[in-house]
Amino acid sequence: MDYKDHRAGFIIADIARFRVRLFDRLLAPHGLTTSQAWVLAQLFVEDNLPQTEIARRMDVGTVTVGGLIGRLEERGFVERHVDKEDRRVKRVVLKEEAKPIGRIMTECGRQVNEMTFQDMSEEDAQAFMDTMLTIRQNLLEALEGDPYALKNATDILLEKEKS
């Protein structure tokens, strides 16, 4: 398929969808979904976030995030606190009990990557990742000014990697 073909977006979406399905399958025995893991991932990268900021970073509604956080709260992984400066704001904080599930998430992610890049040389896999980062940056620049394209956990991790 030519890279200019309009169906390139379908291929990219399929890759993301298949990876999520694999990640869900690996997390299921641990009683966690990919959506819940994505909330935790935001907090592992930057803790004590307002609930609305987590929703923005995940590009989902605050009600959706509220339900995810509620389930994580029931499991003892997070807790919500009222913001000291604005009582309308609920901040979400990781609890110590979340650390083991964080290690499980990391291992599941490693396994998904192993399946994703099997049959590829290390050089080809790295070239693919470099290309994906270029594509991501191109799209971010095209979305300049879009409030939902603002900094998220990926950006924070990439910044840490540079320094």
Side-chain angles (χ1 to χ4, degrees):
M1 177 185 297
D2 186 309
Y3 78 96
K4 295 176 189 171
D5 190 298
H6 71 281
R7 294 171 292 180
F10 295 147
I11 301 295
I12 293 168
D14 279 347
I15 291 168
R17 188 169 53 90
F18 297 157
R19 285 179 54 89
V20 166
R21 289 180 64 93
L22 281 168
F23 196 59
D24 261 336
R25 189 179 292 171
L26 293 170
L27 286 174
H30 306 284
L32 202 65
T33 66
T34 296
S35 296
Q36 292 167 339
W38 191 228
V39 170
L40 290 172
Q42 300 303 316
L43 296 167
F44 278 118
V45 171
E46 188 175 12
D47 201 5
N48 195 28
L49 289 171
Q51 189 168 312
T52 54
E53 176 63 10
I54 295 169
R56 187 203 59 79
R57 290 181 183 197
M58 292 177 62
D59 200 13
V60 297
T62 54
V63 172
T64 299
V65 164
L68 293 168
I69 291 168
R71 286 187 284 288
L72 292 170
E73 222 169 11
E74 288 170 10
R75 300 264 319 264
F77 295 149
V78 301
E79 57 189 12
R80 289 182 256 209
H81 300 282
V82 174
D83 187 89
K84 292 176 180 137
E85 295 177 19
D86 185 346
R87 298 196 51 77
R88 297 170 298 175
V89 174
K90 287 196 172 87
R91 292 192 165 271
V92 185
V93 179
L94 276 173
K95 293 177 73 178
E96 189 67 25
E97 292 80 8
K99 286 185 180 176
I101 200 72
R103 288 188 286 276
I104 290 167
M105 288 165 43
T106 299
E107 175 56 24
C108 291
R110 189 197 62 71
Q111 289 177 34
V112 170
N113 283 343
E114 194 174 281
M115 290 180 256
T116 300
F117 296 111
Q118 72 182 2
D119 301 328
M120 290 178 76
S121 70
E122 282 191 37
E123 295 79 19
D124 287 347
Q126 187 59 55
F128 175 80
M129 284 304 300
D130 293 343
T131 300
M132 292 300 286
L133 287 170
T134 299
I135 291 168
R136 182 183 187 278
Q137 187 58 42
N138 291 344
L139 294 172
L140 271 174
E141 289 171 11
L143 287 168
E144 186 177 343
D146 184 327
Y148 285 91
L150 296 173
K151 181 173 99 170
N152 65 21
T154 304
D155 298 297
I156 294 166
L157 293 172
L158 291 171
E159 288 170 13
K160 284 182 182 179
E161 202 173 275
K162 286 180 186 176
S163 53

